[in-house]
């Protein structure tokens, strides 16, 4: 129930941002590829376990630290980005589209949604912020996987191109 309210709130906030924010090009121009310094799943998670006798998925209710490779591609004219994350610990992929909101030059926030694909495909709501310093991008955010009732907090570094 708590997670459903969070999802509905995120959707309402994203609609408000899209309506209120100026439709100008975002001032966070960086396309980048990076990796998370740390990420954590909470709730029921699946991790790929390698043992000498078998390869299998392990389910747990614990918080587990994850690593991922992340990428962002900003559309040239609109303040919209395509983002993807490949989670290495549980062999899953996440693809989202986000609305980018400028805060100051080279610093922005984003909100959006998409899908998380592993054994089961689930919708995801995503919020975060990023800042560019030269060719380095620092980013972080929170992803909520609605059907799995799992949250992912991420922080990472990327290389801008």
């Amino acid at each position: 129930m708590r997670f459903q309210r969070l999802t509905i709130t995120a959707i309402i906030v994203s609609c408000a941002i899209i309506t209120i924010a100026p439709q100008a090009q975002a001032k966070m121009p960086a396309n980048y590829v990076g990796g998370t310094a740390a990420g954590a799943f909470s709730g029921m998670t699946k991790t790929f376990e390698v043992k000498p006798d078998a390869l299998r998925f392990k389910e747990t209710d614990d918080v587990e630290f994850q690593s991922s490779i992340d990428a962002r591609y900003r559309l040239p004219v609109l303040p919209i980005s395509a983002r993807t994350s490949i989670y290495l610990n549980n062999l899953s992929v996440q693809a989202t589209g986000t609305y980018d909101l400028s805060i100051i030059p080279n610093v922005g926030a984003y909100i959006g949604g998409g899908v998380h694909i592993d054994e089961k495909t689930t919708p995801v709501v995503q919020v975060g912020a990023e800042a560019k310093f030269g060719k380095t991008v620092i980013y972080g955010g929170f992803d909520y996987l609605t059907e799995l009732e799992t949250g992912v907090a991420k922080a990472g570094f990327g290389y801008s191109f």
Side-chain angles (χ1 to χ4, degrees):
M1 186 70 155
R2 183 178 104 222
F3 295 113
Q4 291 173 340
R5 283 188 238 145
L6 177 65
T7 302
I8 291 169
T9 302
I11 291 169
I12 290 170
V13 169
S14 66
C15 290
I17 289 171
I18 290 169
T19 303
I20 296 168
Q23 297 296 317
Q25 185 174 0
K27 293 180 184 170
M28 174 58 189
N31 296 320
Y32 61 83
V33 174
T36 55
F41 280 76
S42 62
M44 184 57 72
T45 63
K46 293 177 179 58
T47 305
F48 194 63
E49 186 174 58
V50 179
K51 291 196 171 186
D53 59 336
L55 299 174
R56 62 187 165 100
F57 280 97
K58 174 181 80 171
E59 291 187 1
T60 180
D61 282 329
D62 298 334
V63 173
E64 294 187 16
F65 290 96
Q66 299 283 328
S67 56
S68 70
I69 297 170
D70 305 306
R72 173 198 188 216
Y73 177 75
R74 188 182 64 80
L75 297 177
V77 177
L78 300 172
I80 296 173
S81 294
R83 298 173 189 269
T84 188
S85 295
I86 300 170
Y87 290 95
L88 304 174
N89 298 37
N90 64 351
L91 303 175
S92 61
V93 176
Q94 181 172 298
T96 57
T98 60
Y99 181 82
D100 303 329
L101 180 63
S102 293
I103 298 173
I104 58 175
N106 293 325
V107 176
Y110 57 89
I111 187 164
V115 294
H116 184 93
I117 304 166
D118 55 9
E119 294 173 346
K120 180 179 181 180
T121 300
T122 183
V124 62
V125 177
Q126 182 177 61
V127 296
E130 54 205 357
K132 181 180 177 225
F133 303 97
K135 290 284 187 184
T136 302
V137 177
I138 299 172
Y139 59 95
F142 182 79
D143 302 346
Y144 176 65
L145 288 65
T146 58
E147 289 183 18
L148 298 178
E149 295 185 358
T150 300
V152 182
K154 295 194 326 186
F157 295 92
Y159 175 76
S160 161
F161 58 90

